[in-house]
Amino acid sequence: MEIVTATLTGIALIKKSVDFVKENISTVQDISGIAKQIDGFFLGEEQMNKGQGKGMSIAEQFGSVEKSADDFINRKLLEEKREELKTLINLRFPVQAGYPSTWDQILAERATRINEAKETQRKQRVKARKQKDDILETLKWVSYVFIGIGFTFILLLIGVKAFAYEYKSKQLTRQQQINQGLIKEDQLVVCRLKKQKVYKSKVACIYQGANRTFELSFQDVRIGCVRNFRCKLNPNGKEPSIDQVMESLRSIAK
């Protein structure tokens, strides 16, 4: 139905355009006076071309006698109207011998404009495709930037957590650090007085604890040496010699 409508509309437009030119060709001063009707003729021709052989089955296009007859008649009518329009225009606007006729110039100008329009459309499609590619390229780099920012944020978050853990570790009490094995507490043993040596107002006190732990301390003779105290375990130590003790006493007494 749409095909038939397009064909009939095209025929009507062609007849209307040619009839207007026929009635007014003698009064127009130049082509611009009938340019609209010439465009109408070409538009009707395009509609007829679109309406013939489009949207039909093979059998309908080639096997229908009625359709074939209609197409033949419409095509002959189109050719007659084109020839009539061509003759009217060439007679009204003749050209010198050896030059293209006015009708041929119209066809050439129309073909040039159609080609220019197609080229403009092609350039627009190329431009649109390039703009699309540029947008996709921009989006790709923007996504890379966001990925980089996200990766940097993750690293920063890990660093902050590590710093917070380290800072928290530094804030532990001594007992907490001992319990977590961060520091090792000194082991204490009982050291008992083994020897003492008096020199003037000072007294040297030598103590011994478990695993040959030795400690040496100096006191005022009036205070004297305590019998025992808790000292740091220092296994396999060397007992201070009397000579060393006397030398230390003399140094203190000076």
Side-chain angles (χ1 to χ4, degrees):
M1 184 65 181
E2 292 180 359
I3 297 173
V4 175
T5 302
T7 302
L8 293 177
T9 302
I11 294 173
L13 190 55
I14 289 172
K15 288 182 178 180
K16 180 179 179 182
S17 300
V18 174
D19 289 344
F20 181 89
V21 173
K22 186 188 302 184
E23 293 173 3
N24 297 276
I25 190 68
S26 60
T27 60
V28 297
Q29 300 301 316
D30 52 39
I31 291 295
S32 62
I34 56 174
K36 182 177 180 181
Q37 283 67 39
I38 295 175
D39 288 338
F41 172 84
F42 288 127
L43 178 60
E45 185 178 24
E46 289 178 1
Q47 291 180 352
M48 284 187 63
N49 291 334
K50 290 179 180 179
Q52 291 181 342
K54 300 294 182 71
M56 300 176 63
S57 66
I58 299 297
E60 289 175 325
Q61 291 185 41
F62 299 101
S64 172
V65 175
E66 181 181 2
K67 175 61 180 175
S68 299
D70 288 343
D71 286 347
F72 178 78
I73 293 171
N74 291 334
R75 182 58 56 184
K76 291 296 291 185
L77 178 62
L78 172 62
E79 292 175 358
E80 290 176 1
K81 292 298 181 181
R82 184 192 299 113
E83 190 65 26
E84 183 179 0
L85 182 62
K86 173 183 176 181
T87 302
L88 289 171
I89 292 175
N90 286 338
L91 288 176
R92 179 66 181 84
F93 303 102
V95 296
Q96 296 180 3
Y99 289 90
S101 66
T102 303
W103 178 254
D104 289 338
Q105 292 180 37
I106 291 173
L107 294 180
E109 178 65 20
R110 182 170 181 269
T112 299
R113 293 186 179 183
I114 290 175
N115 291 332
E116 290 177 348
K118 290 181 178 179
E119 180 64 17
T120 300
Q121 292 176 352
R122 186 190 69 81
K123 290 181 179 180
Q124 289 176 345
R125 289 194 297 269
V126 171
K127 182 179 179 181
R129 185 164 56 249
K130 185 178 183 303
Q131 289 176 342
K132 180 180 178 181
D133 293 340
D134 291 342
I135 292 174
L136 292 176
E137 184 70 14
T138 301
L139 291 176
K140 180 181 74 173
W141 284 107
V142 169
S143 64
Y144 287 162
V145 170
F146 277 106
I147 291 173
I149 293 175
F151 185 71
T152 302
F153 177 77
I154 292 174
L155 291 179
L156 182 61
L157 183 62
I158 293 174
V160 169
K161 287 186 175 181
F163 176 79
Y165 178 78
E166 182 180 358
Y167 179 78
K168 183 178 179 181
S169 299
K170 291 181 179 179
Q171 300 302 308
L172 295 176
T173 64
R174 176 178 174 80
Q175 187 59 47
Q176 288 174 331
Q177 294 181 30
I178 292 173
N179 294 339
Q180 295 184 16
L182 299 177
I183 61 174
K184 188 175 181 180
E185 188 177 27
D186 294 337
Q187 184 176 353
L188 301 178
V189 296
V190 177
C191 288
R192 294 180 174 81
L193 181 63
K194 182 177 182 182
K195 296 179 182 178
Q196 56 183 334
K197 187 70 175 180
V198 178
Y199 180 79
K200 295 185 179 180
S201 61
K202 298 294 182 180
V203 59
C205 308
I206 299 175
Y207 296 89
Q208 181 176 355
N211 297 332
R212 293 185 58 79
T213 297
F214 293 96
E215 287 287 343
L216 174 63
S217 67
F218 299 95
Q219 301 291 340
D220 191 282
V221 71
R222 291 173 297 178
I223 297 175
C225 300
V226 297
R227 305 306 299 174
N228 55 69
F229 71 99
R230 294 179 63 81
C231 60
K232 180 181 177 181
L233 178 63
N234 185 21
N236 301 319
K238 185 178 179 181
E239 181 179 352
S241 66
I242 296 299
D243 293 337
Q244 291 177 338
V245 172
M246 293 304 296
E247 182 62 30
S248 299
L249 287 172
R250 284 191 289 270
S251 297
I252 295 173
K254 290 181 179 179

